Amino acid sequence: MAMGKKGSNSNLRSGSGDSPAKLRQRKSHSKEVTEVANTASGTVPQDDSKKRWKNWRQRTIFTFLMIGGFFTFIALGPLSIMLMVLCLQVLIYREVISLSSVPKKERDLPWSRAMNVYFLGCLEYYLYGQNIHRALKRHPWLEAHLQPMFAHHTFISFSMYLLGFVWFVSTLRKGYYRFQMGQFAWTHMALALVVMQSQFMIENIFEGIFWFFLPIALVIVNDIFAYVFGFFFGRHQLIELSPKKTWEGYIGGGLTTMVFGFVFTALLSDWKFMVCAPPNLHMTVFSDVQCDVNPVFVPRDYRVPSVVTAVLSAVLHKTITTVTIRPVQFHSLAISAFASLIAPFGGFFASGVKRAFNIKDFGNSIPGHGGVTDRFDCQFIMAAFSHTYFTSFIKLSTVTVGGVFSSFLVLNPEKQIELYHSIQEYLQTSGSVAGAVANTTA
């Protein structure tokens, strides 16, 4: 008996080696397993009514708080949004990395967590260095002074990564090889799925805040109304990974998102703060922004099919042969469809990760929602799609003054002078600002 108790106590002590996420959710895991078992028949489990409404109120309050904070960051402009994305990257990366954390082993590997932070810093330096360089292209003279640093930015970033790789290999210890290799792989997976995918959000900002704001808004709307339809009408389970997700919520949220995207896009299309590429990083909602907008935001007249005209005439007693719609509204339907049909599978993937680690949520930083990852699990794949869609079907091929000047700085002095004389000769021959050029060179 004494030996049995000792073995039992030993097992209890070994539990201290579990990850913090596992320890935090150990009590709720047994309940989660019971829920999954109860939903094997394909119907949604009926929670206690009082608890459901308490969770509903808590979730609703913090949903509006998050939406209010999101709008505040949008109003403060590109720099504020970039800082928000950076904070989200760090918080989500921390939550994901903590899943594979085993404190008992990490105590014997003191550099394990430091390397996680180091590799994150290397990637952030590489990605945000590119963003800063792009922003400075709108300030040619400032870029000229910092050009030496940016000229070798990629090599510096790669060198930093190689230093981390050598550091990792040098810390490999006998008896921990498998654990350390697993940690190395998990760190790189987190960097790829979290940091690199969220970088598309930053890319969208530079094309216009509209392309950052709309995809995120569509996912939020879809998430809210899928929850509402599922809460009130949900009866049939959608997927085993998420027992509380229902077909009613999936379909109802999808249809609502499509309508919202079509209407909301029209409302935003006249707001140049949204549709113009940011002229600088300190632009805010109060700035006087002017630009030549992308043609997709310009209203066009479309002929209504004769069959539809006949039906509308019979119902409304009014003949409608044309309608005025912005082309971007049709594009918004495609993006809304992705937000409704495919983006939720980013959340299902996250649910699979939680099942694999036997946890209910990635954290508890947002009451009623779980961790930050639980709220942004669909946003990364949405950002990647919206950026790919924009560059494939909407983006105009343009050459900017900042881009030309950046290329000019790469030339050696002889080529710069040659290009200068070529441009001067062309302007004088064509008659463009001939007098101004003559006065400047006099």
Side-chain angles (χ1 to χ4, degrees):
M1 291 296 292
M3 291 180 64
K5 290 180 180 179
K6 183 177 180 181
S8 176
N9 292 337
S10 176
N11 290 336
L12 288 175
R13 286 196 300 270
S14 66
S16 63
D18 290 340
S19 69
K22 290 182 180 179
L23 294 174
R24 186 176 60 246
Q25 298 298 341
R26 185 175 295 278
K27 291 183 179 180
S28 63
H29 171 52
S30 58
K31 182 178 179 180
E32 188 72 15
V33 172
T34 303
E35 285 185 354
V36 174
N38 290 337
T39 57
S41 60
T43 59
V44 179
Q46 298 296 320
D47 295 336
D48 178 74
S49 178
K50 184 177 180 180
K51 183 178 179 181
R52 280 166 61 90
W53 281 106
K54 179 181 178 181
N55 184 65
W56 163 269
R57 288 192 297 270
Q58 189 179 56
R59 187 183 179 100
T60 301
I61 291 172
F62 279 89
T63 294
F64 281 106
L65 288 175
M66 287 189 293
I67 292 175
F70 177 67
F71 277 109
T72 301
F73 279 106
I74 292 292
L76 293 176
L79 182 59
S80 172
I81 299 172
M82 289 176 63
L83 293 176
M84 176 186 70
V85 174
L86 175 61
C87 291
L88 292 175
Q89 286 176 340
V90 173
L91 290 173
I92 295 173
Y93 178 78
R94 178 177 175 272
E95 289 182 349
V96 173
I97 287 295
S98 68
L99 294 180
S100 65
S101 175
V102 181
K104 184 178 179 180
K105 292 185 177 181
E106 289 178 352
R107 281 194 292 269
D108 298 327
L109 302 168
W111 297 110
S112 179
R113 294 190 179 185
M115 276 189 282
N116 290 334
V117 176
Y118 178 81
F119 281 119
L120 174 64
C122 289
L123 186 56
E124 295 288 12
Y125 172 79
Y126 172 69
L127 296 176
Y128 278 84
Q130 288 182 324
N131 296 329
I132 294 173
H133 189 200
R134 180 186 305 180
L136 290 180
K137 287 182 178 180
R138 297 183 173 89
H139 306 278
W141 299 113
L142 182 59
E143 185 193 16
H145 288 87
L146 297 177
Q147 180 64 25
M149 182 180 70
F150 291 115
H152 306 293
H153 172 71
T154 302
F155 182 79
I156 294 172
S157 302
F158 185 62
S159 298
M160 291 172 61
Y161 175 81
L162 289 179
L163 181 62
F165 178 75
V166 172
W167 182 18
F168 167 75
V169 174
S170 65
T171 60
L172 290 174
R173 289 182 55 182
K174 186 177 180 179
Y176 294 90
Y177 294 149
R178 187 169 184 174
F179 172 75
Q180 287 180 286
M181 290 299 178
Q183 292 291 90
F184 186 77
W186 184 259
T187 297
H188 282 68
M189 186 212 70
L191 291 172
L193 294 182
V194 176
V195 182
M196 295 192 70
Q197 277 201 116
S198 58
Q199 175 64 15
F200 288 110
M201 295 182 179
I202 305 298
E203 298 288 339
N204 291 339
I205 294 172
F206 284 99
E207 304 297 346
I209 294 179
F210 175 91
W211 301 109
F212 168 83
F213 178 71
L214 181 66
I216 292 180
L218 291 174
V219 170
I220 292 174
V221 169
N222 184 73
D223 185 57
I224 291 174
F225 282 95
Y227 180 79
V228 170
F229 278 91
F231 184 87
F232 289 105
F233 309 108
R235 295 293 182 272
H236 302 89
Q237 182 181 316
L238 173 64
I239 188 170
E240 186 178 348
L241 280 172
S242 297
K244 294 183 181 180
K245 302 294 184 182
T246 65
W247 278 104
E248 291 81 1
Y250 185 70
I251 296 173
L255 293 176
T256 305
T257 303
M258 298 282 285
V259 174
F260 171 84
F262 190 82
V263 175
F264 194 58
T265 296
L267 298 177
L268 294 178
S269 295
D270 286 326
W271 194 3
K272 291 197 173 180
F273 170 76
M274 281 287 180
V275 302
C276 291
N280 50 64
L281 292 180
H282 56 268
M283 177 188 79
T284 69
V285 70
F286 303 106
S287 302
D288 182 19
V289 182
Q290 299 296 328
C291 70
D292 295 326
V293 300
N294 192 304
V296 297
F297 293 105
V298 179
R300 297 182 186 177
D301 291 332
Y302 293 89
R303 182 174 296 277
V304 178
S306 57
V307 175
V308 178
T309 300
V311 172
L312 292 177
S313 297
V315 175
L316 303 177
H317 304 291
K318 183 179 180 180
T319 302
I320 301 177
T321 58
T322 61
V323 292
T324 302
I325 299 176
R326 303 169 192 270
V328 71
Q329 291 179 264
F330 296 118
H331 291 296
S332 74
L333 290 177
I335 300 175
S336 299
F338 185 90
S340 304
L341 302 176
I342 307 299
F345 281 83
F348 301 152
F349 174 80
S351 296
V353 173
K354 289 186 284 188
R355 292 286 184 271
F357 285 91
N358 296 325
I359 60 173
K360 182 179 180 181
D361 297 312
F362 283 95
N364 53 13
S365 53
I366 309 176
H369 293 267
V372 180
T373 310
D374 293 289
R375 288 279 55 84
F376 288 88
D377 47 14
C378 301
Q379 294 292 358
F380 299 139
I381 190 173
M382 187 70 209
F385 171 80
S386 58
H387 180 73
T388 303
Y389 185 91
F390 174 83
T391 54
S392 301
F393 302 107
I394 300 174
K395 185 175 182 178
L396 299 176
S397 179
T398 58
V399 177
T400 64
V401 174
V404 172
F405 189 79
S406 181
S407 299
F408 172 79
L409 293 174
V410 178
L411 300 175
N412 59 48
E414 291 77 13
K415 293 295 183 180
Q416 290 178 345
I417 294 174
E418 180 183 346
L419 179 61
Y420 168 75
H421 288 300
S422 297
I423 295 175
Q424 183 185 51
E425 181 180 354
Y426 170 77
L427 292 175
Q428 290 176 338
T429 302
S430 63
S432 303
V433 294
V437 170
N439 293 334
T440 302
T441 57

